[in-house]
Structures are given as C-alpha cells and as structure tokens.
Amino acid sequence: MRAFGRTISITAVLVSLAGMAAAADIRLLSVGAVQNAVRPLAADFSKDTGHKIVFTVGSPAVVAQKIKDGEIFDAVIVSEPAMDRLDKEGIVNPESRVRLANTGIGVAVRAGAPAPNLATPDAFKQALLAAKSVVYGDPTLPNQSGEKAEQILAKAGILDALKPKLRIVPGQAESQDLIAKGEVEMGLYNLSEIPEGKGLKIAGPVPAPLQLATTYEGALMSDGSVPQAAREFIRFLSEPEARAKWLAARLEPLADH
C-alpha cells in the first residue's frame, strides 16, 4: 500500500510539473477600448489554464507603431479595419481572426452636471448645439473615436455649426480631464472608454441611426512563439461565458457568443 501511495504521489507531481512546463506567457497587444473586459477575462483564463497574459495596451496609433517597429507579440486585439490591414500585410494569421465585441460612441459630461436628453436624433442634435463646448479626439487618426465622432456630427448635419466651439484633443486622458474640470461641457468617446467615477459620467449613447459602432477582433500574430496558447485565449474571449464581462465593460459581445 505504501508503494502504491508513493506511485500516486509521484504521478501527481509529474502531472503538476508537466502542467507548469506547458504554461505560457502570452504577449498580448491590445487597444485600450477593450481592456476593461479583456483584463478580467484574462485573469479567469490564467486561473483556468496557468497561462499568463502579458499586456501591452495603447491607443490604435501606439499599437500600429509598435507593430511597425517590429516588436514581437503572440496575439493582438484591434478594430476590424485595422485587423484587415494587418491581415493584408501578413502580420496576423488570417484563419485565427475572431470577432469579439462592438462599442458605440457615447456622450460624456461632468459628474454632477445635468444629463442632456439624447433619446432621439433630434434631441441629440439640439443637446450638442446648445452645449457651450464639445471635445473629441483627432479625427485624422484612423480607427480612433475622434474619427467616428466627427463622422457622427457630419451625419447629423451639425458639424459646421459646431466648429466654432469644438475642441480637438488627441490625448484621451487630457481631453476627459477638461470635462471633469468643467472647462468643456461635453465629449464624444467610445462608450467603453468613458471612466465614470473620475469626474465624468455617461450622459448616454449616440442614438440610432446616427450611432457608429466599432467592431474589435482578436487574432494570432504570425511571428508569435506560443500559438496554441494564444489561440486558446482568443477563443476564450469569444465563449458565451465571457458575455457578462463584455457587457459590464460597455461592449456588446457579438451574437455568435
């Protein structure tokens, strides 16, 4: 019986060591718009598998520059148009692409300020026209919220009327700080990137049919060193069990997961 018990113990140790040896550090490059969902999901994944997610998070421009500079990652999460470009350039594995979630543009105001009526397209237009000032990111930077914000204002037919009171601030933290301090009345950002509790609150989303959503995808980098583990992680993000964390981060998981 002692010999049998010793065999069981040795087997358990060997299995444990094998699991530890198989654990991988997955280097993830991601845009910031999805991080409030992906970080808690990564913690769940690490707990389940032993794999560790090593995050590098930045704006779409920063993410693009890191790839251009030749930095090595195992997986990437970017907007669908950005992923199309990476696919075309052979930077990602095309068959590994997974559509994860959408987020739309929302209106941010200072915490404690009256929330404008944004329930209908007409109400949205009147609210912005009545605002003393409006801020958003640089619309010339592709795949960023400023680009979508300006498209929405143009679609609503109020862009020209708003130009005298528009503030274009590329840095999102700096832009949102202006609202928190009361120096700007309203801002347009991805809903998933409005940090309530930091002097801001969400007045509401841009109403349909003016709303423009961004879809985010995950994929394996072609030169990654742990493709199997990275593939498992990207798939994990799209599982039905992940829905709650996407929704909590104000992102809409896609209908197929």
Side-chain angles (χ1 to χ4, degrees), residues 88-204:
K88 184 178 180 181
E89 294 174 358
I91 293 170
V92 297
N93 181 339
E95 59 84 24
S96 72
R97 291 176 62 171
V98 176
R99 298 173 77 243
L100 298 172
N102 297 331
T103 194
I105 297 294
V107 177
V109 297
R110 181 176 54 82
N117 178 10
L118 305 172
T120 66
D122 282 342
F124 170 81
K125 288 188 280 187
Q126 291 305 314
L128 268 75
L129 289 169
K132 295 178 181 178
S133 50
V134 178
V135 66
Y136 53 81
D138 188 343
T140 67
L141 297 176
N143 305 313
Q144 300 206 38
S145 62
E147 180 184 38
K148 285 283 197 301
E150 190 154 288
Q151 290 172 359
I152 286 169
L153 298 182
K155 189 177 180 181
I158 59 174
L159 178 59
D160 288 341
L162 286 176
K163 281 184 177 177
K165 52 187 177 182
L166 286 179
R167 298 277 297 272
I168 305 301
V169 179
Q172 186 166 280
E174 294 83 357
S175 169
Q176 293 178 346
D177 192 47
L178 293 175
I179 301 172
K181 291 178 178 178
E183 296 177 18
V184 176
E185 189 170 343
M186 293 184 187
L188 295 167
Y189 309 97
N190 286 329
L191 280 163
S192 63
E193 294 186 283
I194 300 175
E196 289 190 294
K198 295 185 178 180
L200 301 181
K201 69 177 180 181
I202 300 172

